[in-house]
Amino acid sequence: MATATVKRIGVVGGGQMGSGIAQVAAMHGVDVCLFDVDPQALSKASSSISNSINRLVSKSHLSQVAGADALKRLRFTSDLEEFRDADFVIEAIVESEDVKKTLFVQLDKIVKSSAILASNTSSISITHLASSTCRPSQVIGMHFMNPPPLMKLIEIVRGADTSDETFAATKALSERLGKTVITSQDYSGFIVNRILMPMINEAFFTLYTGVATKEDIDTGMKLGTNHPMGPLELADFIGLDVCLSIMKVLHAGLGDNKYAPCPLLVQYVDAGRLGRKRGIGVYDYL
Ligand code: CAA
Ligand code: NAD
């Protein structure tokens, strides 16, 4: 499929990533339909996209007309059947292989046979997701970074059967959305999270073993290495549930104990301290 033929995108999952991805696509002239199983998530996605666009307009990063046009290109739905006409679908639901596979089976039945099915997974095997469909050559990883409207990177992940045509169309679409592309083979965590998540996990071990306070760990990495956020602050921003799921995939897939999730990270997730989205994580936002 040539990128010029990508006129309609379906985004599945209206959380922080799905809403941001839908916004980026709409801001670049693509019609977008956003689906979520949770109606509350859909209304939250709608207001967070409006807020983000207003912020860009107020800072003169986007004209008022372009902002209004982007909002007109967005549709929100609770009916996956509305993806029938999509040329390209981007999945951004919970980081669970089983839940994603169930969705890919559904999408494969609904979405037209020429369409590409992309996953925004942070770590899960694209080859595994592709194997649940009848179109493995048209399944690919398209990994946006958080927050999608600001971050310049898309990491494209080729599954074992991803075709050259699917790769070329995904790369062209990513560039049309104003992003720089890197390409990874299909191994747990790909490039970015293979390197980033062990650092975040190590920050949790540093806190867990009493080496330093959370504030000093974050200040150390911000001022000591010029990172925009400290690792614990970044974990709260990403979502501690997402960080834990990624560590579990790295641990299972790469088979080395150095990837074992820190018990403190596990305990925070068990306690529902999922980070900024819940108002509490390593830090308290309430
Ligand atoms: N929409 C629109 N504009 C936004 C915005 C949003 N969602 N969030 C922030 N902005 C704008 C602000 O209005 C501000 O604009 P001006 O510069 O014109 O004033 C600018 O962006 C900076 O925002 P802030 O001053 O509020 O905050 P900041 O300077 O701390 O920047 C940040 C925010 C870009 C998120 C920065 O803190 C940062 O880069 N953090 C690290 C992010 C990161 O590492 N992301 C990758 C995570 S890993 C991942 O995504 C992969 C995975 O699978 C887990
Ligand atoms: P989130 O928890 O903010 O949102 C997930 C959304 O998916 C929720 O609104 C939920 O209602 C919805 N959902 C769950 N199951 C669904 C289903 N079967 N069908 C439709 N909707 C469903 O999560 P997020 O942080 O946006 O992460 C989404 C995906 O993006 C994950 O795979 C994650 O690993 C990946 N990712 C996350 C980040 C990050 O920083 N948070 C960065 C890059 C990639």
Side-chain angles (χ1 to χ4, degrees), residues 124-182:
I124 293 167
S125 163
I126 298 301
T127 309
H128 288 187
L129 299 180
S131 70
S132 62
T133 74
C134 300
R135 60 179 99 188
S137 66
Q138 290 160 239
V139 176
I140 194 159
M142 189 182 190
H143 184 204
F144 290 74
M145 304 294 134
N146 190 11
L150 299 186
M151 301 296 281
K152 306 238 175 297
L153 187 76
I154 291 180
E155 182 177 43
I156 296 185
V157 185
R158 297 189 70 145
D161 294 318
T162 305
S163 69
D164 290 344
E165 291 73 21
T166 298
F167 173 76
T170 307
K171 184 168 186 282
L173 177 63
S174 304
E175 287 166 351
R176 189 173 146 201
L177 301 184
K179 306 299 185 190
T180 298
V181 166
I182 57 172

Side-chain angles (χ1 to χ4, degrees), residues 67-142:
D69 283 350
L71 289 173
K72 278 188 219 143
R73 284 189 205 101
L74 280 159
R75 208 151 43 86
F76 299 87
T77 183
S78 298
D79 182 5
L80 202 56
E81 293 284 340
E82 291 197 31
F83 279 26
R84 238 175 285 107
D85 297 333
D87 304 307
F88 200 104
V89 174
I90 306 173
E91 166 278 311
I93 66 168
V94 59
E95 186 73 349
S96 152
E97 183 169 325
D98 288 346
V99 182
K100 284 189 194 291
K101 272 186 168 170
T102 304
L103 174 70
F104 271 75
V105 170
Q106 271 180 289
L107 286 171
D108 195 32
K109 288 190 188 132
I110 293 170
V111 180
K112 64 186 176 192
S113 60
S114 60
I116 289 172
L117 303 182
S119 174
N120 183 53
T121 178
S122 298
S123 57
I124 293 167
S125 163
I126 298 301
T127 309
H128 288 187
L129 299 180
S131 70
S132 62
T133 74
C134 300
R135 60 179 99 188
S137 66
Q138 290 160 239
V139 176
I140 194 159
M142 189 182 190

Side-chain angles (χ1 to χ4, degrees), residues 45-61:
S46 169
S47 55
S48 99
I49 293 172
S50 299
N51 289 342
S52 176
I53 286 182
N54 289 340
R55 211 161 155 186
L56 293 170
V57 170
S58 73
K59 305 267 167 145
S60 307
H61 295 314

